[in-house]
Amino acid sequence: MQQVHNQTITLQDVWKAKSTISAIIHKTPLIYSKALSEKAGAEIYLKYEHIHDSGAFKMRGAVNAIYQLTEEQKKHGVTTFSTGNHGFAVALAAKKLGIRAVICVSKHVPQAKFEKIKGLGAELEIYGDGQDDAEQRCYELQKEQGLTLIPPFDHPSVISGQGTIALEILEDLPSVHSVIGGLSGGGLLSGVGLVMKNTNPSIQVFGVSMEKGAAMYESLKAGKPVVVSEHETLADSLLGGIGDENKYTFSMVNQYVDQSVLVNEETIKKGMAYLYKEHKIVVEGAAAVGIGAIIDNIISLKENTKNVVIISGNNVDLTSHLNAIKAYI
């Protein structure tokens, strides 16, 4: 069997990450979805990544990256500019390991997020009008205070950490035919794709994004990283650019993801409602895009195949969740 390799990140790196994070990150369940399987005409399994302490899969990459720090780096602490799932993950991982964390946010970030980050013991730097300003503040903190930046996705240790999801899938379902996950900056599907394609190149990897503001999708179409406008969406965790100087995820997604598709807001609502109705779980919009894509036949699966949908996170306001699903319950 021909192996697929990436020059920088290897399958061995993912196995090392699995060992590294095992003290903090516990294996998540793989749940068979009877109703969705009957609808799709294929076996559908759900990978419950929303049950991590931080509420999302991002804990894997954050823990792995922080564990790679030298003793000197640990003394100074870490910083990141994500205010979503990665920001929560870095704050929580740093708290568990007794390391200082500074999360940079713009002044437009909701107060509720401020309180959640502070509740995890992290420091807040409120700076500028947008995510780019917050990112710039991280680089300033690197120079001023010696903090180590833990990027949200375009980082070898983060990608390797997310790839441990695929190792668990293969352990529980070695005959898997495809994996479906949300596609944003690409950290998740870079890691998952690396593992799956090196295990068996015929395993398919599908990426799903929202219709407007899908930076990786548009970048793949253009053949280079591009900037897109952000729009209000239920899948807000999938917003954000991939970076003009993307070093890893753009090329890895291009290599490992077989197909990337877009879903509209109604399809996302259907996915959220389905998971609540059939599995009694509350998830954010980004975690429901794959389910919606199957329900609305945006992704077609071959009969009698075994397919996994990654349920990525549950960090959603309950009022927003109720408003999204009420038309389908």
Side-chain angles (χ1 to χ4, degrees):
M1 181 179 67
Q2 184 179 4
Q3 294 290 300
V4 182
H5 295 283
N6 181 275
Q7 292 182 348
T8 306
I9 305 167
T10 68
L11 185 59
Q12 186 177 23
D13 292 325
V14 182
W15 279 104
K16 288 179 180 177
K18 186 176 188 297
S19 176
T20 298
I21 69 177
S22 61
I24 290 179
I25 303 298
H26 303 294
K27 182 179 178 180
T28 57
L30 189 67
I31 305 297
Y32 176 67
S33 179
K34 183 175 184 294
L36 193 57
S37 297
E38 291 174 351
K39 183 175 182 60
E43 292 184 29
I44 307 293
Y45 297 81
L46 311 179
K47 183 61 170 167
Y48 272 23
E49 284 296 298
H50 64 290
I51 66 172
H52 291 288
D53 289 348
S54 67
F57 75 95
K58 291 280 191 175
M59 275 296 289
R60 295 175 183 267
V63 170
N64 191 45
I66 289 175
Y67 260 119
Q68 308 307 316
L69 300 177
T70 65
E71 289 304 314
E72 187 65 23
Q73 289 173 322
K74 290 177 183 177
K75 289 179 184 177
H76 286 91
V78 297
T79 185
T80 194
F81 53 88
S82 170
T83 60
N85 290 333
H86 179 69
F88 299 146
V90 169
L92 183 55
K95 180 180 180 180
K96 287 178 177 288
L97 298 174
I99 297 171
R100 179 189 177 206
V102 182
I103 312 299
C104 296
V105 301
S106 79
K107 63 185 181 183
H108 293 299
V109 171
Q111 184 68 29
K113 285 193 174 183
F114 290 172
E115 297 305 320
K116 182 170 182 178
I117 291 170
K118 287 193 289 186
L120 292 172
E123 300 171 33
L124 274 178
E125 282 270 349
I126 303 172
Y127 187 84
D129 292 318
Q131 186 85 326
D132 289 343
D133 293 332
E135 179 180 2
Q136 183 58 41
R137 180 56 181 153
C138 281
Y139 291 113
E140 292 175 1
L141 288 171
Q142 274 187 309
K143 295 179 181 178
E144 295 171 4
Q145 301 182 23
L147 298 175
T148 299
L149 175 60
I150 308 293
F153 52 87
D154 197 36
H155 187 282
S157 295
V158 172
I159 293 168
S160 299
Q162 319 309 23
T164 61
I165 296 171
L167 297 181
E168 293 180 9
I169 290 172
L170 288 166
E171 183 179 7
D172 288 344
L173 193 68
S175 56
V176 61
H177 292 93
S178 80
V179 180
I180 302 164
L183 179 59
S184 179
L188 171 62
L189 294 188
S190 290
V192 169
L194 168 68
V195 173
M196 292 304 178
K197 294 300 186 180
N198 275 282
T199 299
N200 181 353
S202 68
I203 297 173
Q204 289 196 296
V205 180
F206 295 98
V208 189
S209 305
M210 65 277 148
E211 271 189 339
K212 296 180 179 180
M216 182 63 79
Y217 179 91
E218 297 298 336
S219 296
L220 292 171
K221 278 178 55 179
K224 62 180 181 180
V226 298
V227 177
V228 298
S229 299
E230 293 188 5
H231 299 265
E232 187 173 343
T233 174
L234 287 166
D236 57 278
S237 293
L238 300 182
L239 289 172
I242 69 168
D244 290 340
E245 298 182 10
N246 188 288
K247 296 178 180 178
Y248 306 99
T249 61
F250 175 72
S251 61
M252 292 180 75
V253 168
N254 192 46
Q255 180 178 3
Y256 297 135
V257 175
D258 296 280
Q259 183 183 5
S260 57
V261 301
L262 301 179
V263 294
N264 62 33
E265 295 301 299
E266 288 304 312
T267 297
I268 298 171
K269 290 178 184 178
K270 289 179 186 178
M272 295 171 73
Y274 173 86
L275 289 170
Y276 182 75
K277 181 179 180 181
E278 299 293 341
H279 290 275
K280 304 300 184 288
I281 59 175
V282 174
V283 302
E284 58 193 87
V289 292
I291 301 297
I294 293 173
I295 291 172
D296 281 351
N297 297 311
I298 296 167
I299 292 177
S300 297
L301 302 172
K302 294 181 180 179
E303 290 185 5
N304 303 317
T305 54
K306 298 179 179 180
N307 310 276
V308 175
V309 183
I310 299 172
I311 309 302
S312 55
N314 67 10
N315 289 312
V316 61
D317 175 77
L318 291 181
T319 300
S320 298
H321 183 269
L322 178 61
N323 290 337
I325 70 171
K326 62 184 179 181
Y328 298 99
I329 295 295

